[in-house]
Amino acid sequence: MNPTVLKLGGSVITKKDRPETVDGERIDRVAAEIAAADGPLVVVHGGGSFGHHHAHEHGLTTTAGSHDVAAVLDTHGAMTTLNGVLRRALLDRGVPAVPVHPLSVGWRSVDGELSVPTGAVETLLGEGFVPVLHGDVIAHEGAGVTILSGDELVVELAVALGADRVGVCSTAPGVLDGAGRVIERIDSLSAVEDVLGGSEATDVTGGMAAKVRTLLALDAEASVFGVEGLSAFLDGEQSGTTVA
Amino acid sequence: MNPTVLKLGGSVITKKDRPETVDGERIDRVAAEIAAADGPLVVVHGGGSFGHHHAHEHGLTTTAGSHDVAAVLDTHGAMTTLNGVLRRALLDRGVPAVPVHPLSVGWRSVDGELSVPTGAVETLLGEGFVPVLHGDVIAHEGAGVTILSGDELVVELAVALGADRVGVCSTAPGVLDGAGRVIERIDSLSAVEDVLGGSEATDVTGGMAAKVRTLLALDAEASVFGVEGLSAFLDGEQSGTTVA
């Protein structure tokens, strides 16, 4: 059975306007809904107020790097802390969550090509564990380290694992049109380019337009939904915007 | 320039007879000597009183596994803590040490074959960082997780990275003969089988005989030495027992 890959946006599990503050209530809610789901699952979470703060401070993006070990450790350390909080909540609900840190396994070549070997994730999944990964810093040939975004990671994992379903949970109820309504289905970027344009909530790892672009490139059907849509998605139902 | 791979035995950096107790003085000394060394370096450390305790409690060896998430997290968590203490001491001496956790990257197939992709380690090394790895639990097809010993990891890394030199630092001054003298050079296991026999200080990941057997299989020359021989080894000198 092919796994489901679930991305939890940083804004879902942290208070994005306060440095290194988790949203405990949201994390508990999300953990309870994941615990109620069946089937193999990989979880990826973003940085929210943990990762972006340090990334910004050290001038890190997915292309701009640093050789400063403090840039590595501040960013990676904060993400590891957030990963531990989320995993603790999952464990408390009986989910056999285990950490997988991209810094240990991923890298970019000098021309920016991303490699993330997934043998450990696949084997953990096969043995019944729930790997929990996160946006991180990774080694980048010639640039020191750069950011690996949670969104990039979701795509890498979905392709490598042959994911059946991909879910992207953020604080918006889906991809919104100009009038603030959830777009039910997106089959091509050109059809929604006008309304997406850029993202008002820009972060170092790209906004909604970038998310949709990468999700469109997937074979698997992807869903973009809010926290209130998570339970339906995990139950196998349509939720938020379907990007196919 | 090909890197040096240095293994620090668990008994070097922890007090092996007291659960989860580091040997702070030894760690400081080792960190200072590593800081004084030149050239690309990968550090691997063992578990000592951190890893073996939990491995034993959960019945984990390199072949006996567990599907209990507590077995994963107790062992991995203790090793991650020890890794953090060692890295902190290295950072304090100016060594750009970054963590690489085998659980994130390695796995065994159903017949026990070990895979540890090393692209992240190689790229980190190339960018001037010092990857610090450790014995760990890793996913094992059909068995849940099993132990990946520091000694296995040293061999994997030495081969994959084309290491110039491999150093194994333990609390003994080298491989000892029946009279307690350091054997200067070992070219084959048969020549020293009588004196090695087994190891009196048995741990879950094998004693000195197993160490020598795996080191003999390497193309690179390996040295087995005590803490007092670390500085000489890092200076490029002969130290303790040479296994070639």
Side-chain angles (χ1 to χ4, degrees):
Chain A
M1 187 179 170
N2 292 345
T4 296
V5 176
L6 173 65
K7 159 89 191 289
L8 297 172
S11 58
V12 173
I13 58 173
T14 73
K15 300 189 171 176
K16 221 169 175 172
D17 49 347
R18 289 167 55 191
E20 302 204 11
T21 310
V22 298
D23 190 331
E25 278 178 43
R26 278 263 190 70
I27 287 178
D28 281 345
R29 175 178 173 179
V30 161
E33 292 180 359
I34 290 174
D38 291 324
L41 178 71
V42 180
V43 177
V44 175
H45 64 84
S49 64
F50 280 73
H52 296 293
H53 168 69
H54 294 292
H56 182 75
E57 205 161 75
H58 291 288
L60 293 173
T61 69
T62 56
T63 52
S66 170
H67 285 91
D68 181 2
V69 73
V72 182
L73 300 180
D74 288 353
T75 311
H76 179 70
M79 292 306 298
T80 298
T81 300
L82 179 57
N83 185 259
V85 172
L86 176 60
R87 287 190 293 106
R88 182 76 260 164
L90 289 166
L91 281 172
D92 287 347
R93 301 287 187 159
V95 178
V98 300
V100 172
H101 304 295
L103 174 60
S104 295
V105 60
W107 74 95
R108 292 188 206 273
S109 67
V110 70
D111 56 6
E113 199 196 336
L114 177 63
S115 298
V116 186
T118 55
V121 171
E122 283 173 58
T123 313
L124 287 167
L125 266 175
E127 298 306 304
F129 299 106
V130 174
V132 183
L133 296 90
H134 52 86
D136 203 351
V137 280
I138 57 169
H140 188 142
E141 203 183 341
V145 296
T146 51
I147 298 291
L148 170 69
S149 76
D151 289 334
E152 286 177 293
L153 197 48
V154 163
V155 171
E156 288 286 312
L157 291 167
V159 172
L161 305 174
D164 269 342
R165 305 177 76 227
V166 174
V168 176
C169 179
S170 73
T171 45
V175 183
L176 306 181
D177 68 14
R181 289 170 304 221
V182 172
I183 303 171
E184 222 171 89
R185 191 176 177 89
I186 299 176
D187 295 292
S188 74
L189 197 63
S190 61
V192 290
E193 228 162 24
D194 290 352
V195 290
L196 288 179
S199 166
E200 75 280 20
T202 308
D203 62 37
V204 294
T205 51
M208 191 58 89
K211 276 189 187 33
V212 171
R213 192 174 299 117
T214 54
L215 295 176
L216 276 168
L218 288 178
D219 284 337
E221 208 169 74
S223 302
V224 179
F225 48 82
V227 179
E228 67 292 338
L230 174 59
S231 170
F233 171 77
L234 290 171
D235 283 347
E237 297 165 23
Q238 288 292 345
S239 188
T241 302
T242 300
V243 181
Chain B
M1 188 178 168
N2 292 345
T4 295
V5 176
L6 173 65
K7 159 89 189 291
L8 297 172
S11 59
V12 172
I13 59 174
T14 74
K15 300 188 172 177
K16 220 169 175 173
D17 49 347
R18 287 168 54 191
E20 302 205 12
T21 310
V22 298
D23 189 332
E25 277 179 44
R26 278 263 189 70
I27 287 178
D28 281 345
R29 176 178 171 179
V30 161
E33 291 179 0
I34 290 174
D38 291 324
L41 178 71
V42 180
V43 177
V44 176
H45 65 83
S49 64
F50 281 73
H52 296 293
H53 168 69
H54 294 291
H56 182 75
E57 205 161 75
H58 291 288
L60 293 172
T61 68
T62 55
T63 54
S66 170
H67 286 91
D68 181 1
V69 73
V72 182
L73 299 180
D74 289 352
T75 313
H76 180 71
M79 291 307 298
T80 297
T81 301
L82 179 57
N83 185 259
V85 172
L86 176 60
R87 288 189 292 105
R88 182 76 260 163
L90 288 167
L91 282 171
D92 286 347
R93 301 287 187 157
V95 178
V98 300
V100 172
H101 304 296
L103 174 60
S104 294
V105 60
W107 74 94
R108 294 188 205 273
S109 68
V110 71
D111 55 7
E113 199 195 337
L114 176 64
S115 298
V116 185
T118 54
V121 170
E122 284 173 58
T123 312
L124 287 167
L125 265 175
E127 297 306 303
F129 299 107
V130 173
V132 183
L133 297 90
H134 53 85
D136 204 349
V137 281
I138 58 168
H140 187 142
E141 203 182 341
V145 297
T146 50
I147 297 291
L148 170 68
S149 76
D151 289 334
E152 285 177 293
L153 196 48
V154 162
V155 170
E156 288 289 310
L157 291 168
V159 171
L161 306 174
D164 269 342
R165 305 178 77 225
V166 174
V168 177
C169 178
S170 74
T171 45
V175 183
L176 306 182
D177 67 17
R181 288 169 306 219
V182 173
I183 302 170
E184 220 169 271
R185 192 175 177 88
I186 299 176
D187 295 292
S188 74
L189 197 62
S190 61
V192 290
E193 229 163 23
D194 291 351
V195 290
L196 288 179
S199 165
E200 75 279 21
T202 308
D203 63 36
V204 293
T205 52
M208 191 59 88
K211 276 191 188 32
V212 170
R213 193 174 298 116
T214 53
L215 294 176
L216 275 169
L218 288 178
D219 285 336
E221 208 169 74
S223 303
V224 178
F225 47 83
V227 180
E228 67 291 339
L230 174 58
S231 171
F233 171 77
L234 291 170
D235 282 348
E237 297 165 24
Q238 289 294 342
S239 189
T241 301
T242 301
V243 182

